[in-house]
């Protein structure tokens, strides 16, 4: 594995790679932590030593060119998703890229095309598909236990957008981030809505930037219609005072309802009943997992796919899913800007 | 008092009238239960005897013409809101009308004009303004405790829309009901959003009818923008399987957040803390009230206004508030039909 | 009806009497509010006028002697439960007495004997038996849906015991109150545990008085064993900071579990699922009731029994149930004092 | 490190050892996974390979004698806690032993004496002290934010005791397990009550075995009094149908209250407010941890103590804490057997 980025996401991925071998059964392939790239030499070195990388690289180009690297994880800021990922795919590396896949759908489609042409395994790291309770929800929906789906409502609430100490981060700069709460948070809501309910057909949205001078949105709210007939809402904000990382969603079907809260990610409320959902073969029932475990399951899926055991889809998100999420984000922005509903073909 | 209607709403109002005298302190005026109108003689008689009405009337005209009646409560189906209410106002009676005020905003404006011209007290019975926890929320908002408001999200979930036994009720017929979940439920959400956050400036909506043959909506979802800068969502549905009467709303401000659930109407969540809110002078703190008590407080406000003690607004909804709710409902329908945002001047 | 007492409980009972006629269907008997007794003339007069009593009495003796009174409700402080109630029963009046029935079990047994000898209807006002969710719990238990019962844990939490403004109330004086949290709150827990699970066989308790100078307990906690084989805990306190009136109980059976919280009295959690329980024929499902409604159902049961329709037991508590609750309270005190388990034959 | 046992607890500890180096900052010492002992060769080999142990041992004696092992973790069934731990301490190894420390307090005291005489670091693995929310509770209590403590109520609910498939496990055999729910679950409750509130002075208990033929308790409930003046309840059961691993506790102080639920272990309810508590330097606020992380923090504390950085106490439990927990368990059994309160000097 070669990692691009050693910050928050770098730690999450590296930790998952070190965990999956002993916690999810022997994988068919690796993982070997071969190389990590990053600009700051001292931070990169500390990271590489801590997690046991074999070597370091000053830039992503070096990792992409490294013959010892079979798979590249792109954990860089959003504006650095496309170029390194495309280069890696063209170099025949399997590619995992953090979400949102690209700055916009057009760029995302180029990435998908590159990965498809190269015939490499590709994954867009929508890790919440790998929450055990989310997987259980999908199983219930596939089994028809919920009946015909009428509603989806998903809200991703964070509150740090108002924190003056976080004012200068790259996530508030459109050139580096593409979008704000939309790309960062709503993309998760969009992806899970598609994973659970199906394709979105039309969006009608309001978007707001509360802090003057910011070039990205602080919050977005959309009324959405799904191809299957359901309607609902998708919302994301960095101004939900008091909520740190609260991604809630609800589904109403003709035969039942589901509800989920990421801050209580081991619980799935099924027809009003709170059930604890923890994975088999990990700890005994009732012993809860944490946020980081989504990465373990995600990377396990990736490695298994590399080894010819199954595919990324449908439970993992491919670059195609990444393109779709970018398309819906673009549609939400367009809807708000032009004051009209935007259809997604 | 003269009541038009003896069904569910009739019982709620009559019970409140009998309760307010001994539970909220001696009112300046009455109430005397003078007359009740309704088509079915035996049901009307049973109702009149049960609640102690002095006389009965076969039709609303009789009540409106009754010199012993000073105030008329119109609790009839929606298509019978305008004519009797206007007639009562013109006959100099004070008028209370159930929500939604009218079948559409145009009709509502005529009602408002009639009441204003007649100089009578008028109230649109958005009773949830009188939930003690809602009043507390308003106080906190007025005191600035929440700071600048960024978000409102309100969802009214019921589930009986799918019940085949309820198939024939007037609420599914556009001619009698005007709208479906929109007029019946979303109107409550709209009114409280206005009461708590302020005027709605723009709506972008999706509306759905899930059951073939129905002429009203089964559900509506809107992304909304408020004049004060907040954005959010307003949703109502009769297809939230498992939820009987669950009206939830949340507000995020720069200094704090509020949350409410009508099924737990004695609670207000203030900055994550669940607080019990019960009214002074009723029972000791911690002894909870029920849904019906909103009518007691609402009618007490009406009677006090008749007696020259205070006004219906701002804590009660006037016909002007009724007009505004109808306007937003109309805008939601129009937005969904024409696929565009609709502005409210 | 003749009422002894016009304070908090007086208002709750009088309001219920005025409500039951029009809300629970025409009763076979009355109720007529004939007379109310109380020491303070101006407060008594205000009360009598507000609720429409036909006449007033300076002392309980007058009510007991009143030939127009068929039923006496004793709502006086605990040390005035026995004498007036016994006198009323001997005068042939049906008697309802607030809980705890007496200052101790011995006194309670005298009251039971008097009522039994007189052949009058008797009820000890454990009103929480009449919470619809509690009744539903009983039905599920009787139907065997919970299987064999293994556990009951009930805690009644209030917090006003630490309030210096409430320092002088009669409830802190052993001579007037008998017990503290034990008689006032734990008696409710004991009664519901008996109603739902069955007789208590043994108690092992700790009792505490936190405020120097008080002659009653501030809190009590007991490990209990039931005749049916279940074990559990019963606890009551006036020092649960933050909780106003929170009476929670849980039951674990071999086939399922139940949970209840009086502050959310319209909800019963059945096997982890939150269900709304509201009574038939009142409001439509989902429209919640308040604390006061327990008195409506309780008094309706009493009146029906007077009219020969059914009996107080098993859903209402008789003086026999009152005796049992006093016995368990006595046993808890004795267990704490002597440092040993106390058996209840 | 040398591990005795490769089952559930073995995995939890080995995983924690592999995690702590890269997730909690470079430790001063190791950890090196040197040796693991266990009876079943094929399971032991699989375990050793999975987690990267340098060598294996057929019996605990070999690990204790291994000069390459500095620290021994005893994760064997309860009846095998004393002998190997004492032998390890006498061989100069630092010792960590799973809870309950011993089959009874007498045995536990011998273990404590051995570890003290040998001068080795000793820890009883009450891992819930290392839940971040529990640590936060302790900080609030130490800071006096809760005022004088009046109540503790702790219940550990599991449900697998009724599962016929689990009938033969060693945990139901007194010879191997010592106690049932008492030693396995109540010991956790006792330890946290001591960590948060202080020493227990007196217990009055009921104990039950619901399944004929079992030689251990299935459930225990105790009314307890603390040296500091608080009273409360401690309960543990394997018959709480529907609850998998639900350890809840509440504390009421004169200035505030706390509540916790292990199934929502990232939350601490402070004065009614749900707060998310996650550790600094791990993931950003709002990204929750799982059950297994308690072991990471616990073992980090152990290693730091070995390296001379701080001590096990007060945040970790020593063998002295293990002795105390065994003493309270013994007192609960004795109280139930003899029908009297048992004092703890």
């Amino acid at each position: 594995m070669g990692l691009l980025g050693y910050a928050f996401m770098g730690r999450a991925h590296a930790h998952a790679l070190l965990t999956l071998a002993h916690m999810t059964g022997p994988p068919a392939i690796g993982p070997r932590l071969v190389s990590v790239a990053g600009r700051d030499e001292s931070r990169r070195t500390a990271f590489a030593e801590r997690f046991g990388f074999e070597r370091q690289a000053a830039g992503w180009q070096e990792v992409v060119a490294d013959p010892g690297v079979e798979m590249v994880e792109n954990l860089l800021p959003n504006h650095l998703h496309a170029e390194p990922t495309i280069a890696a795919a063209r170099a025949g590396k399997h590619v995992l890229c953090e979400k949102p896949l690209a700055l916009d759908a057009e760029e995302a489609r180029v990435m998908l095309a590159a990965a498809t042409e190269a015939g490499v395994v590709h994954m867009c790291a929508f890790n919440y598909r790998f929450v055990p309770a989310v997987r259980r929800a999908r199983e219930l929906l596939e089994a028809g236990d919920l009946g015909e789906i009428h509603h989806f409502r998903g809200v991703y609430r964070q509150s740090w957008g108002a924190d003056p100490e976080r004012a200068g981060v790259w996530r508030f700069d459109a050139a580096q981030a593409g979008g704000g709460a939309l790309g960062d948070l709503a993309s998760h809501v969009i992806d899970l809505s598609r994973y659970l309910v199906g394709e979105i057909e039309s969006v009608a949205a309001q978007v707001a930037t509360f802090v003057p001078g910011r070039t990205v949105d602080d919050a977005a709210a959309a009324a959405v219609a799904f191809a299957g007939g359901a309607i609902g809402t998708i919302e994301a904000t960095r101004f939900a005072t008091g909520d740190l990382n609260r991604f809630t969603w609800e589904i109403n079907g003709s035969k039942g309802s589901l509800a989920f809260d990421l801050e209580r990610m081991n619980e799935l409320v099924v027809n009003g009943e709170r059930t604890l959902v923890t994975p088999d073969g990990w700890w005994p029932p009732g012993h809860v997992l944490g946020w980081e475990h989504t990465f373990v399951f995600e990377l396990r899926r990736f490695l298994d796919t590399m080894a010819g055991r199954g595919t990324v889809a449908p439970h993992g998100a491919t670059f195609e899913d990444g393109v779709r999420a970018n398309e819906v984000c673009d549609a939400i922005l367009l809807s708000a800007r032009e004051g009209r509903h935007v259809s997604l073909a």
Side-chain angles (χ1 to χ4, degrees), chain A:
Chain A
M1 329 289 290
L3 257 68
L4 313 183
Y6 48 64
F8 169 28
M9 276 298 133
R11 284 199 302 127
H13 283 259
H15 172 57
L17 290 169
L18 291 182
T19 299
L20 70 84
H22 58 264
M23 286 307 296
T24 64
I29 292 184
R32 261 178 59 211
L33 302 188
V34 176
S35 182
V36 57
R39 272 179 309 184
D40 184 304
E41 192 183 333
S42 71
R43 288 182 62 199
R44 187 185 67 219
T45 301
F47 179 87
E49 285 174 2
R50 196 166 173 177
F51 288 95
F53 281 83
E54 298 175 9
R55 50 185 172 270
Q56 302 175 39
W60 60 262
Q61 293 85 350
E62 225 175 294
V63 176
V64 164
D66 190 328
V69 168
E70 278 179 66
M71 179 242 190
V72 171
E73 296 200 35
N74 186 343
L75 317 174
L76 298 169
N78 301 345
H79 70 300
L80 297 174
H81 281 185
E83 193 183 356
T85 303
I86 291 170
R90 288 187 180 153
K93 318 293 192 197
H94 302 294
V95 283
L96 178 152
C97 183
E98 262 302 326
K99 38 59 57 181
L101 184 57
L103 296 176
D104 56 33
E106 196 181 331
E107 192 182 65
R109 278 189 286 262
V110 178
M111 294 169 74
L112 169 61
T116 309
E117 273 167 39
V120 296
V121 174
H122 50 90
M123 180 185 262
C124 182
F126 282 115
N127 59 310
Y128 296 144
R129 291 186 177 213
F130 292 93
V131 173
V134 170
R135 177 68 65 85
R136 171 76 57 86
R138 163 94 178 201
E139 289 164 5
L140 295 171
L141 286 157
E142 281 187 341
D145 289 9
L146 278 286
E148 189 186 341
I149 303 310
H150 294 308
H151 295 297
F152 173 87
R153 56 190 78 86
V155 189
Y156 206 132
R157 300 169 188 81
Q158 291 188 346
S159 51
W160 59 277
D163 183 351
E165 291 187 21
R166 308 283 292 272
V169 302
W170 65 265
R171 290 182 190 274
F172 293 140
D173 174 20
Q176 294 182 71
L182 194 54
D184 189 24
L185 306 180
S187 65
H188 272 304
V189 187
I190 291 162
D191 184 64
L192 277 201
S193 76
R194 292 182 58 247
Y195 179 59
L196 297 171
V197 176
E199 295 298 337
I200 294 171
E201 204 173 59
S202 155
V203 302
Q206 309 277 2
V207 171
T209 300
F210 297 119
V211 177
R214 272 188 200 163
T215 53
V216 299
D217 64 281
D218 283 329
V224 299
F226 290 84
I231 66 169
T233 53
I234 285 176
E235 190 190 342
T237 178
R238 289 169 173 160
F239 281 74
T241 305
D243 287 322
L244 294 172
N245 194 33
R246 198 159 156 238
F247 171 15
T248 60
W249 55 258
E250 293 178 17
I251 291 172
N252 299 130
S254 57
K255 294 187 189 166
S257 292
L258 300 175
F260 175 82
D261 179 346
L262 182 64
E263 288 185 356
R264 293 174 170 171
M265 59 173 269
N266 294 274
E267 301 180 19
L268 182 67
V269 181
V270 183
N271 298 327
E273 181 183 351
R274 168 184 173 257
T275 60
L276 267 194
V277 185
T278 50
D280 289 341
W282 196 275
W283 311 116
H287 294 75
V288 301
L289 296 196
W291 168 84
E292 74 200 41
H293 296 91
T294 57
F295 294 90
V296 178
F297 299 122
E298 178 178 85
L299 287 164
R300 175 75 202 213
R301 180 94 305 278
F302 197 99
L303 290 174
D304 282 353
T305 304
M306 280 173 65
R309 297 184 180 172
T311 54
V312 168
H315 298 304
T318 63
F319 278 12
E320 208 167 326
D321 295 301
V323 167
R324 295 298 288 166
N326 268 121
E327 284 173 350
V328 178
C329 287
D330 290 358
I332 286 173
L333 276 177
L334 187 66
S335 169
R337 194 179 311 128
E338 302 196 348
R340 63 175 179 86
H341 291 43
V342 174
S343 292
L344 291 136

